[in-house]
Amino acid sequence: MTTRAKLTVYSALATALASLCLTPLLTTKSWITHAFLVIAVLAAVGAGLRRTPLFRWTVPLGQLVALVLLLLIGFAESGSVWGGLIPGPNSLSSLDRVFGSGLDDIQQYAIPAPPNAGLRLILVGSVGLIALIVDTVAVTYRRSALAGLPLLALYSVGNGLAGDHGSWIWFGLAAAGYLLLLFAEGQDRVSRWGRIFRGTSRGTESSGAVGLGGQQVGILALAVAMLLPVFLPHWDSGLLHSGSGGSGGGGSAGAVTSLDPLVSLQAEITRPTNTELLRYTLDSDIADQTYLRTGSLDVFDGTNWKLGSTTVADLGAALPPPEGLQDPNLPQMKGDFQVSNALEKSWLPMPYPALSVQLPNRGEWKLDQLTRTVMPTNDKSIKGLHYQVTSLDVRPTANDLRDAPSAPQDIREHYTALPTNLPTEVSQLARQVTAKQTTNYDKAVALAAWFTGPEFRYDTSVSSGTGTDAIVTFLRDKRGFCVHFASTMAAMARTLKIPARVAVGFTPGDAQSANTYSVTGRMYHAWPELYFGGYGWMRFEPTPSRGVQPRYNEQAATATTAPSQQPTAAATSDAPAPAPSNSKDCDAKLRQMGECGKKNTAVGDTGQDSWLLSAQVLGTLAVVVALIALLLVPMFWRAAVRRRRIGGGRRRPGGDGPAELTDEQVLAAWDELVDSAWDLGIPPDESRTPRAAARRISERAELGEDAAAAAGRLALATERVLYARSAHVTAPLAADVRTAREGLLATAGRRERTRAVLLPPSSAQLWWRISDAVLAARVTVGGRVGRVSDAVTRPVRRVFTRKGRDQES
């Protein structure tokens, strides 16, 4: 492999290794496979352009054009790309819209973010741009050391955004890729120094020793860089501030994670899994209907539902009294919770309203007193956590909620606030749906029943979002998942002056044994909570085919399609229960909800994770395969020429038989010898006679006695054909060609032999033939066009010539 080819491969490898630090930024990893394909294509385009007689500055321009085309194929909307491979006139504007949506997603989503097209475009495009810069600096302009700057920028940005999800492994891989790039260029420079001052053999030995020493130094430096931080002290405070403070008083602000629960929930819902997140026991007869609430979002700003509190307090053993609940003597239920290692970056799941919580490390948790949300101070606090919760068992009836007094003024002002840009059709539709109802409870039930009716459909393929535009789109299309249903019902309830907020958490787990339940990734959920005086915040379930309707929702059994988990007469039947399904895609909860049929297909498809490729990525892969096939054309062409000259068919040119050979067969055998030497590093010299050329090949390649004799016989036969009046050649020239070629291969190095197979220099003749054919076609077409043009314009020219003569006369 030549130095330039080696630098091309290593620069692409260095970029690919450095880009791995970006994998924690999204919830899936298929985008990194797409990025690797883009890196490979850009490297191949650069290698091809550098073999042409173009200016060096045209190489990065060509790669930039290739990058834009790849992004258009991979991310432009399908209607703007013809056949999935040819960008149309609207593809650039489509790509711009996808890019704009990605910029909006950056502002909205926390890490890891869902794999929306805009975010994948930004990541793949950034990696491709870094690959282009690294290839230009390291290969086109031979400044490998400077290529470390874009690689460092890529690693720094990726690792900085990943935060706690980063790893020393990403640094090791990125540094290893950069060292390989430096070694490749350094070895070439050292070997050229040796050839200049010491000669070939000694120079090779010297450069090998220096190269080995450089590799040892590089590996040692990398090892020290990775091991030294283990033995150095760690400072949490930084240089400019002293940190977030310790555990202060009850009202002190504490540092909490930047988790956006609604964003994380949307990401998890679109890729549901059966992985167990937590297991719990609950001593209550309604444990199978109890939601595990992680928090509530009380502020709607027109773009998102979010937590309105700006400060949190230290978590005590007892929690503040539940907001609005007047009866303190309600029965209690106690739960024991064990979180698995699969659950990360979550607020604490608890039944609502919780009275107290026992945690092994209370200092790692903070409390938002308004919404009773318990939040971790770092992303890993929830992982593997074991804790106990004591909650109140609030069971109002429908009549209790109908007769509930109005909410206090401060509750109404805070929880009915709406953004000024909320479209009026939202409030109009809310009043239309609840026109026949008089109490807040009946209006809430009517809204929930309307959402769970046949007009709405649960669909996780809908774009995420909870802003005003998303609400209008959801009400128009009537398709979405629980986040859309919950946020829209809460907004519509506020237009009716019913205090409302959005809760997030989990639906009840699958029963494993007596009072023991298992919560999986398919149970992520969002629902609205509405306020009723004397009872506080009560949940409602507007999402069809998801969750459990509360018992006080009287109309749910008849007005909605949502499943009911209340005991029925069928439950007491003596008939044997059906055997559980072994399918991993249909657990007990899904079977209970009737989701094992076609409804679950779309959800299952979106749940396929990580390295699987989309149709647009497969289009990019098709381009890569076509490019690889194009690069392999020289190899296949050279093999076909060799077979035609010495190998086969019924009539073998230069065959081994005693029959007299034609002039074409002799010259074909000679051409094969010359091309074989050319492929192994001995270019042809047209100024020499065949015998002089054979002698030069033998000396340059240091051929053995048999191979040199075979080359001499080929040269003599060729001179007879070229110079003698009549040539009678009956020698077995095919055997001589094979003998000479085997001698050339035996003395060549591994690099030369590999190049002779994959990229034989003699294949340049194919390009010459194509160029000659194109030139001949141009001449032919030009001649025909000229004759046609002359035949068409001849009468006109005759008329003008006759007029001119008449005017002169």
Side-chain angles (χ1 to χ4, degrees):
M1 185 184 295
T2 62
T3 300
R4 177 172 288 177
K6 189 183 297 184
L7 287 175
T8 301
V9 173
Y10 287 165
S11 63
L13 180 61
T15 307
L17 292 176
S19 64
L20 289 174
C21 68
L22 301 175
T23 52
L25 301 186
L26 299 185
T27 55
T28 59
K29 302 180 180 64
S30 60
W31 74 270
I32 197 67
T33 308
H34 194 174
F36 288 166
L37 294 176
V38 170
I39 294 173
V41 172
L42 293 179
V45 170
L49 292 176
R50 281 187 287 267
R51 292 175 65 90
T52 63
L54 299 174
F55 293 105
R56 286 197 297 183
W57 57 267
T58 62
V59 176
L61 288 181
Q63 290 175 299
L64 184 60
V65 172
L67 175 60
V68 173
L69 289 176
L70 290 174
L71 295 180
L72 289 173
I73 294 172
F75 295 100
E77 298 171 357
S78 57
S80 62
V81 181
W82 299 332
L85 293 176
I86 304 175
N90 298 324
S91 56
L92 281 176
S93 59
S94 172
L95 190 69
D96 181 65
R97 288 194 296 271
V98 177
F99 180 75
S101 68
L103 295 179
D104 294 337
D105 290 343
I106 291 176
Q107 302 298 325
Q108 296 182 19
Y109 291 122
I111 293 171
N116 295 340
L119 293 176
R120 289 187 286 110
L121 168 62
I122 292 175
L123 289 176
V124 174
S126 300
V127 171
L129 188 60
I130 293 296
L132 190 156
I133 297 174
V134 171
D135 186 86
T136 300
V137 174
V139 189
T140 304
Y141 289 96
R142 295 294 185 92
R143 296 291 185 270
S144 296
L146 293 179
L149 294 178
L151 291 174
L152 177 62
L154 178 63
Y155 170 76
S156 300
V157 172
N159 196 61
L161 292 175
D164 291 340
H165 292 275
S167 172
W168 61 269
I169 297 177
W170 308 135
F171 171 77
L173 292 175
Y178 180 53
L179 287 178
L180 285 175
L181 187 60
L182 292 180
F183 290 160
E185 185 185 47
Q187 187 178 24
D188 176 67
R189 294 194 177 194
V190 172
S191 64
R192 283 191 279 118
W193 294 343
R195 286 196 296 270
I196 294 174
F197 294 107
R198 296 182 179 274
T200 303
S201 60
R202 294 178 61 190
T204 302
E205 180 180 355
S206 174
S207 63
V210 176
L212 180 60
Q215 294 175 13
Q216 293 173 346
V217 170
I219 295 174
L220 179 61
L222 177 59
V224 170
M226 297 178 67
L227 294 177
L228 189 59
V230 177
F231 304 100
L232 291 178
H234 178 68
W235 292 274
D236 292 326
S237 58
L239 295 177
L240 300 178
H241 56 82
S242 58
S244 58
S247 58
S252 64
V256 296
T257 65
S258 59
L259 170 69
D260 187 331
L262 205 56
V263 168
S264 301
L265 178 69
Q266 292 174 126
E268 297 295 342
I269 288 174
T270 56
R271 55 179 187 90
T273 66
N274 285 325
T275 303
E276 184 176 87
L277 302 180
L278 68 143
R279 183 176 289 253
Y280 65 95
T281 59
L282 199 62
D283 59 349
S284 172
D285 60 338
I286 59 169
D288 60 341
Q289 302 178 35
T290 302
Y291 282 32
L292 301 183
R293 175 181 174 276
T294 57
S296 288
L297 309 176
D298 57 314
V299 173
F300 182 44
D301 61 4
T303 302
N304 289 304
W305 285 88
K306 60 185 181 180
L307 188 66
S309 301
T310 57
T311 60
V312 291
D314 291 335
L315 179 64
L319 302 182
E323 190 174 32
L325 187 62
Q326 295 180 352
D327 186 0
N329 299 318
L330 292 172
Q332 298 180 358
M333 53 182 174
K334 296 183 178 181
D336 186 87
F337 297 80
Q338 177 62 59
V339 180
S340 74
N341 290 330
L343 181 61
E344 296 185 71
K345 297 192 71 171
S346 172
W347 294 346
L348 196 66
M350 298 183 297
Y352 184 84
L355 288 179
S356 63
V357 56
Q358 288 77 43
L359 293 165
N361 192 348
R362 194 175 302 277
E364 294 184 357
W365 297 86
K366 299 291 181 179
L367 174 67
D368 174 60
Q369 296 179 329
L370 180 63
T371 61
R372 304 174 63 81
T373 300
V374 179
M375 297 174 286
T377 58
N378 64 77
D379 292 338
K380 298 180 180 179
S381 297
I382 190 69
K383 195 172 183 178
L385 181 67
H386 182 218
Y387 61 101
Q388 294 79 36
V389 177
T390 301
S391 302
L392 291 177
D393 190 355
V394 184
R395 302 192 192 185
T397 65
N399 288 329
D400 290 337
L401 298 181
R402 284 193 182 97
D403 298 335
S406 299
Q409 181 65 26
D410 57 337
I411 296 291
R412 291 200 304 272
E413 290 179 355
H414 182 72
Y415 290 101
T416 60
L418 288 168
T420 56
N421 62 340
L422 183 69
T424 56
E425 55 260 37
V426 178
S427 59
Q428 292 174 355
L429 190 56
R431 288 193 295 271
Q432 178 182 342
V433 172
T434 61
K436 298 180 180 180
Q437 313 303 328
T438 56
T439 67
N440 285 349
Y441 167 77
D442 290 318
K443 292 178 181 179
V445 171
L447 284 176
W450 180 64
F451 281 115
T452 55
E455 295 183 0
F456 285 86
R457 184 161 63 91
Y458 188 90
D459 187 356
T460 59
S461 65
V462 176
S463 299
S464 57
T466 59
T468 55
D469 293 339
I471 289 176
V472 172
T473 302
F474 170 68
L475 291 174
R476 181 192 66 220
D477 299 338
K478 294 181 171 56
R479 292 169 52 245
F481 47 93
C482 63
V483 171
H484 300 95
F485 286 93
S487 59
T488 304
M489 179 174 170
M492 294 177 73
R494 287 193 174 192
T495 65
L496 301 173
K497 300 305 178 183
I498 304 175
R501 61 190 186 186
V502 175
V504 292
F506 301 94
T507 57
D510 284 329
Q512 303 298 306
S513 60
N515 292 334
T516 300
Y517 299 86
S518 173
V519 174
T520 68
R522 292 186 180 273
M523 297 169 188
Y524 279 102
H525 197 50
W527 62 92
E529 291 181 335
L530 276 60
Y531 183 91
F532 293 89
Y535 299 95
W537 293 100
M538 309 304 299
R539 72 169 179 89
F540 286 80
E541 186 53 82
T543 306
S545 73
R546 289 298 185 276
V548 183
Q549 289 292 340
R551 290 188 175 184
Y552 46 78
N553 191 345
E554 293 178 336
Q555 297 181 12
T558 57
T560 81
T561 59
S564 173
Q565 295 188 5
Q566 297 181 17
T568 62
T572 62
S573 173
D574 295 333
S581 170
N582 292 327
S583 172
K584 294 182 178 179
D585 296 328
C586 186
D587 55 22
K589 180 66 66 176
L590 294 177
R591 289 196 302 273
Q592 185 180 16
M593 294 190 298
E595 288 239 324
C596 296
K598 295 181 179 179
K599 285 185 180 180
N600 197 37
T601 303
V603 179
D605 292 341
T606 59
Q608 300 301 322
D609 187 21
S610 71
W611 305 93
L612 299 183
L613 302 178
S614 64
Q616 291 180 317
V617 177
L618 289 176
T620 306
L621 181 60
V623 174
V624 174
V625 172
L627 183 59
I628 293 175
L630 184 63
L631 293 175
L632 293 178
V633 167
M635 180 180 70
F636 291 121
W637 177 85
R638 183 70 183 88
V641 170
R642 184 182 304 115
R643 285 195 300 270
R644 187 176 69 250
R645 287 172 174 172
I646 65 173
R650 297 178 180 176
R651 183 167 176 261
R652 292 166 51 179
D656 296 335
E660 183 176 333
L661 303 179
T662 65
D663 293 350
E664 289 79 8
Q665 291 173 320
V666 175
L667 294 178
W670 172 252
D671 288 341
E672 180 58 32
L673 173 64
V674 173
D675 288 349
S676 296
W678 188 4
D679 293 340
L680 293 169
I682 306 175
D685 188 349
E686 301 290 344
S687 65
R688 296 175 182 268
T689 63
R691 274 186 290 180
R695 190 180 308 111
R696 171 175 171 268
I697 292 173
S698 300
E699 292 174 354
R700 290 278 299 272
E702 300 179 355
L703 294 180
E705 183 177 350
D706 293 340
R713 288 192 295 270
L714 286 169
L716 286 175
T718 303
E719 288 188 349
R720 287 180 183 178
V721 171
L722 294 177
Y723 307 134
R725 180 173 298 178
S726 60
H728 300 282
V729 179
T730 59
L733 296 185
D736 287 338
V737 173
R738 285 191 286 268
T739 301
R741 189 170 183 275
E742 290 172 359
L744 289 169
L745 291 172
T747 59
R750 181 183 301 174
R751 181 182 305 173
E752 288 75 14
R753 292 196 301 270
T754 303
R755 183 183 61 181
V757 174
L758 298 179
L759 289 173
S762 63
S763 62
Q765 297 172 92
L766 175 61
W767 177 255
W768 297 342
R769 293 182 183 181
I770 295 174
S771 300
D772 292 341
V774 172
L775 180 60
R778 289 177 58 187
V779 172
T780 301
V781 172
R784 292 180 180 178
V785 171
R787 288 194 295 271
V788 172
S789 176
D790 182 69
V792 171
T793 60
R794 188 182 296 117
V796 179
R797 284 188 281 107
R798 286 178 179 175
V799 171
F800 281 104
T801 301
R802 187 179 297 112
K803 287 184 178 181
R805 290 175 180 175
D806 293 342
Q807 291 177 356
E808 290 178 358
S809 62

